[in-house]
Amino acid sequence: MVGYKYGLWLVYNQNTFNTAHIGHFTVQCFMNKEHAFKLYDKINNNYGNTFPIHVEKWGSLFNTGFYNHDKNNLHAWGYYGSIKNWELLQHAANEYSGDFSYKPHTSIIYSNDKSLLTPINLENDITIVGILKVVNINAADPSNWSLLN
């Protein structure tokens, strides 16, 4: 596994889901560090840094290769979500190389072995709040990914 370089996440309250890593919705990954901070500034200055996220209750499996540059062989299960004005973040991200998350989602558990993953449904859809953060996602182990701001 080679990691996901640098990127931007919407980080939510860590008590929302039981994860071994920082709970998040990816905005863009496979970026260089400089461009990640520039994209953060652009989004923060134009749209703010706080975004409500509607999380769908159905647990889903996410296959490897979710992103164009992804060679990590890392499976996951989690939840899809929707974020108002997501297309504005996509438009801002178009200026920078990297992989934009066209289907916003949060991963609850990662594994190299798909057979170990069993999605769990929530009782209902929920709405949470994500805070925009620049992240270092170079580590092979998701529990070693870190916030840079």
Side-chain angles (χ1 to χ4, degrees):
M1 193 163 53
V2 295
Y4 296 83
K5 295 190 176 184
Y6 295 90
L8 267 69
W9 289 347
L10 296 179
V11 175
Y12 50 77
N13 183 312
Q14 298 306 290
N15 295 320
T16 305
F17 301 112
N18 184 15
T19 63
H21 58 279
I22 299 167
H24 66 278
F25 277 75
T26 300
V27 176
Q28 184 151 311
C29 55
F30 290 104
M31 301 182 75
N32 70 43
K33 190 175 184 180
E34 177 187 356
H35 284 178
F37 275 101
K38 285 182 178 182
L39 178 56
Y40 172 87
D41 288 341
K42 183 173 186 171
I43 291 172
N44 184 47
N45 291 337
N46 288 298
Y47 311 113
N49 71 344
T50 305
F51 298 85
I53 304 167
H54 177 87
V55 182
E56 299 171 10
K57 70 178 183 178
W58 306 109
S60 299
L61 285 172
F62 307 135
N63 290 319
T64 61
F66 198 89
Y67 299 103
N68 289 337
H69 293 95
D70 191 352
K71 306 281 187 255
N72 288 290
N73 192 36
L74 194 59
H75 300 272
W77 80 262
Y79 304 100
Y80 286 108
S82 57
I83 299 155
K84 187 176 181 180
N85 298 321
W86 191 242
E87 68 281 356
L88 296 176
L89 277 64
Q90 178 184 352
H91 181 72
N94 283 342
E95 282 186 43
Y96 304 97
S97 61
D99 290 358
F100 185 79
S101 183
Y102 291 100
K103 273 188 103 167
H105 64 283
T106 186
S107 296
I108 304 303
I109 297 177
Y110 293 96
S111 177
N112 294 108
D113 184 351
K114 188 176 180 177
S115 70
L116 298 176
L117 300 174
T118 304
I120 299 171
N121 295 333
L122 301 171
E123 285 187 29
N124 299 293
D125 290 4
I126 61 172
T127 300
I128 60 177
V129 174
I131 307 297
L132 189 66
K133 296 288 183 180
V134 178
V135 291
N136 177 344
I137 40 184
N138 284 285
D141 180 347
S143 65
N144 291 326
W145 295 342
S146 60
L147 306 178
L148 295 178
N149 67 342

